[in-house]
Amino acid sequence: MTISDQWQVSVTTHGSEEQPVVVIDAFAPDPHGLREDATFLAFTRIGDHYPGVRAIMPEAVLRPFVAALAPVARDVFGLSDLSVVDSFYSVVTTPPDALAPIQRLPHFDEVSPTRLALLHYLSRDEASGTAFYRQRSTGYESVDAARLPAYRAALAEDLTRHGMPGEGYIGAKSPVFEQVARHGGRFNRAILYRSNTLHCADIPAGMSFSADPYDGRLTVNTFLDARG
């Protein structure tokens, strides 16, 4: 039996750009083993954008998953030859009142439309998720290299007009961004989407911000490169 034999796969699109998101339930044969593995790793802050701590996920663990995703990436995104750029176990540890300004806004990971993001939820608390957004002033739901200057200029103008967002994780209501879709963080669910789509973790009030992988919001965040 291959990994993909147990997958429950659905594909949805969102917004006016109809950006696809692949939702895969029962993603890992042994999600509890992945959680246990995470407890043996040294987590630390990596970069300025992620509101928590991370530990590198060994690429060898990912190989069978990447191989199983190949036909999905081809059929949904028209991409082939998937390879891992980076992969991390990630735990959200920053409470709403301690977020940096940039962490209160949706973001995109990469402007290339051939980069994909794979997010695997491993938390038993299923209240959080991932939301996707549209920049109201431009209508952009994704940002490629051609759109980047206009996106940045519009964002600067929007923040001058409306001010920086207040303390807390962005929710469904914002004068600058409109939420166009949300996917719940079900245990052992993975979602696959283009890295240049505007998105952000959907963090509910009262969620645990523990750095313990067994108690906090544990995910595996993998970035994939592909050929169009």
Side-chain angles (χ1 to χ4, degrees), residues 14-18 133-134 139-142 147 180 197-198:
H14 62 253
S16 57
E17 295 183 11
E18 297 187 338
Y133 291 86
R134 174 188 299 122
Y140 294 164
E141 296 164 3
S142 62
R147 287 181 170 184
V180 295
T197 53
L198 289 164

Side-chain angles (χ1 to χ4, degrees), residues 119 121 128-133 179 181-185 191 193 199-203 217 219:
L119 180 60
Y121 302 100
S128 71
T130 302
F132 292 84
Y133 291 86
Q179 188 180 112
R182 180 189 183 278
H183 296 274
I191 61 173
Y193 54 93
H199 62 279
C200 193
D202 185 70
I203 305 297
R217 183 187 187 265
T219 59

Side-chain angles (χ1 to χ4, degrees), residues 101-186:
I102 196 170
Q103 294 171 332
R104 305 174 201 163
L105 298 169
H107 65 279
F108 53 91
D109 303 309
E110 166 67 45
V111 296
S112 171
T114 63
R115 288 286 182 92
L116 299 178
L118 175 68
L119 180 60
H120 183 199
Y121 302 100
L122 288 172
S123 173
R124 298 300 297 180
D125 182 349
E126 299 182 341
S128 71
T130 302
F132 292 84
Y133 291 86
R134 174 188 299 122
Q135 187 183 36
R136 293 182 185 274
S137 56
T138 61
Y140 294 164
E141 296 164 3
S142 62
V143 181
D144 59 15
R147 287 181 170 184
L148 184 58
Y151 171 82
R152 286 176 169 169
L155 182 59
E157 185 176 337
D158 290 339
L159 296 180
T160 297
R161 180 183 300 115
H162 299 288
M164 285 298 299
E167 293 181 352
Y169 290 88
I170 188 169
K173 296 181 180 180
S174 163
V176 179
F177 294 95
E178 176 186 2
Q179 188 180 112
V180 295
R182 180 189 183 278
H183 296 274
R186 181 179 299 173

Side-chain angles (χ1 to χ4, degrees), residues 21-117:
V21 177
V22 181
V23 180
I24 307 173
D25 287 309
F27 182 70
D30 184 15
H32 299 285
L34 291 176
R35 293 180 76 213
E36 184 175 356
D37 288 347
T39 64
F40 292 97
L41 300 176
F43 282 74
T44 186
R45 291 194 176 272
I46 299 176
D48 298 327
H49 294 83
Y50 186 75
V53 292
R54 287 178 151 171
I56 294 175
M57 160 67 82
E59 185 175 347
V61 177
L62 296 167
R63 286 175 191 154
F65 296 99
V66 174
L69 284 169
V72 178
R74 181 191 63 239
D75 294 345
V76 177
F77 300 98
L79 300 174
S80 59
D81 295 338
L82 294 180
S83 60
V84 176
V85 178
D86 288 306
S87 186
F88 305 97
Y89 282 106
S90 305
V91 182
V92 173
T93 58
T94 307
D97 59 357
L99 290 172
I102 196 170
Q103 294 171 332
R104 305 174 201 163
L105 298 169
H107 65 279
F108 53 91
D109 303 309
E110 166 67 45
V111 296
S112 171
T114 63
R115 288 286 182 92
L116 299 178

